[in-house]
């Protein structure tokens, strides 16, 4: 399989807590992206980080990239019930196509 | 802008039937892709297109056919539906092939 891997598979936290999910990939990349999918809906792009960047912020989202470990993490700070969704990473490690991970299911309890 | 639209939202087929899933985008994106999403497996690329008249296979192309006669439309054809094609299908468009993808709402297909 060409899929990347994410962990944990599922995460349940209280509103206001931080959520961290991780993504690993197999070969070299130009960029890594994170997407959110609400139940029954299409994916929505959150953030893109290039291989020469180590950290990127967007609102309450913080993404880090460690190319030496071939891994990335997505941190959502001060989580809200509306953050409940599945989160996917995607890389271009096979050149002309994006490879998506299996996703992390995040549940934020209010 | 409507973004990426897909029809139908839901479809039930019998084994052996054929059908076309429609996808359209109004963002003038050159690149369009079809993915299928199965439980626990993320998204897998079926076919993609880098412009009108140009298509190529993704990771799981067998049993599917595509064409791209205009920039806006990228239909996916199931030639002879099989139960293994039961899935949720997403169309996406982008300005760069491996850049930010804009996804449609999906088509939930069940093959009996």
């Amino acid at each position: 399989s060409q899929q990347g891997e994410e962990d944990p598979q599922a995460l349940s936290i209280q509103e206001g807590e931080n959520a961290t999910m991780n993504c690993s990939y197999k070969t070299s990349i130009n960029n890594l992206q994170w997407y959110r999918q609400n139940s029954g809906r299409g994916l929505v792009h959150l953030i893109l980080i290039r291989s020469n960047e180590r950290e990127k912020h967007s609102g309450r989202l913080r993404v880090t990239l460690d190319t030496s470990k071939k891994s990335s993490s997505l941190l959502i700070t001060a989580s809200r019930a509306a953050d409940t969704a599945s989160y996917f990473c995607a890389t271009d490690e096979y050149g002309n196509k994006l490879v998506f991970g299996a996703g992390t299911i995040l549940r934020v309890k209010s | 802008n409507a973004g990426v639209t897909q029809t139908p939202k839901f479809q039930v087929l019998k084994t052996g039937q054929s059908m076309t899933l429609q996808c359209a985008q109004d963002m003038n994106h050159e690149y369009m892709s079809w993915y299928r999403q199965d439980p626990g497996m993320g998204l897998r690329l079926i076919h993609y297109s880098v412009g009108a008249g140009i298509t190529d296979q993704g990771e799981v192309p067998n049993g599917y056919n595509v064409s791209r006669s205009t920039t806006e439309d990228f239909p996916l054809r199931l030639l002879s539906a099989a139960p293994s094609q039961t899935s949720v299908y997403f169309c996406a468009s982008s300005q760069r092939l491996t850049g930010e993808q804009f996804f449609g709402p999906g088509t939930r297909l069940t093959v009996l």
Side-chain angles (χ1 to χ4, degrees):
Chain A
S1 169
Q2 294 179 342
Q3 280 193 306
E5 294 180 10
E6 286 158 285
D7 78 273
Q9 287 187 323
L11 181 59
S12 183
I13 60 174
Q14 292 292 135
E15 207 165 25
E17 293 180 338
N18 295 343
T20 300
M21 49 206 88
N22 304 295
C23 168
S24 62
Y25 55 92
K26 296 186 175 73
T27 66
S28 61
I29 62 171
N30 293 309
N31 71 63
L32 183 145
Q33 302 174 49
W34 285 92
Y35 289 82
R36 182 187 73 233
Q37 183 181 35
N38 291 95
S39 181
R41 309 286 291 272
L43 279 71
V44 174
H45 183 264
L46 295 176
I47 200 164
L48 181 152
I49 186 165
R50 302 191 191 285
S51 59
N52 61 353
E53 297 174 311
R54 291 296 165 259
E55 188 171 312
K56 205 161 180 180
H57 296 254
S58 177
R60 292 183 296 111
L61 306 181
R62 173 182 165 234
V63 169
T64 59
L65 178 65
D66 187 335
T67 53
S68 66
K69 294 182 180 177
K70 295 186 173 57
S71 68
S72 172
S73 67
L74 170 66
L75 168 68
I76 304 173
T77 60
S79 61
R80 306 165 181 168
D83 294 327
T84 293
S86 294
Y87 292 83
F88 297 88
C89 69
T91 67
D92 62 352
E93 61 187 303
Y94 292 103
N96 61 349
K97 57 189 176 187
L98 282 181
V99 175
F100 285 81
T104 293
I105 300 171
L106 173 65
R107 181 183 170 212
V108 182
K109 295 177 282 187
S110 55
Chain B
N1 283 355
V4 179
T5 58
Q6 291 183 240
T7 55
K9 285 188 170 19
F10 302 94
Q11 183 70 49
V12 178
L13 293 177
K14 293 181 179 176
T15 297
Q17 287 184 315
S18 63
M19 79 158 296
T20 299
L21 279 62
Q22 301 292 344
C23 173
Q25 54 96 4
D26 62 1
M27 295 174 282
N28 203 31
H29 287 164
E30 286 297 316
Y31 303 102
M32 296 187 75
S33 304
W34 275 102
Y35 295 88
R36 60 177 288 173
Q37 184 177 33
D38 301 295
M41 296 192 71
L43 274 73
R44 291 181 294 168
L45 182 65
I46 304 171
H47 285 286
Y48 65 98
S49 170
V50 300
I54 308 169
T55 64
D56 205 349
Q57 296 181 349
E59 185 183 355
V60 287
N62 292 341
Y64 308 95
N65 204 355
V66 292
S67 60
R68 182 109 178 263
S69 55
T70 67
T71 299
E72 293 78 20
D73 300 300
F74 190 42
L76 178 72
R77 279 179 281 279
L78 277 71
L79 308 172
S80 177
S84 61
Q85 294 179 304
T86 293
S87 188
V88 182
Y89 291 85
F90 289 100
C91 179
S93 73
S94 58
Q95 288 183 311
R96 293 186 301 113
L97 189 57
T98 56
E100 176 184 351
Q101 304 288 303
F102 293 81
F103 283 87
T107 294
R108 186 173 295 272
L109 176 68
T110 300
V111 182
L112 303 175

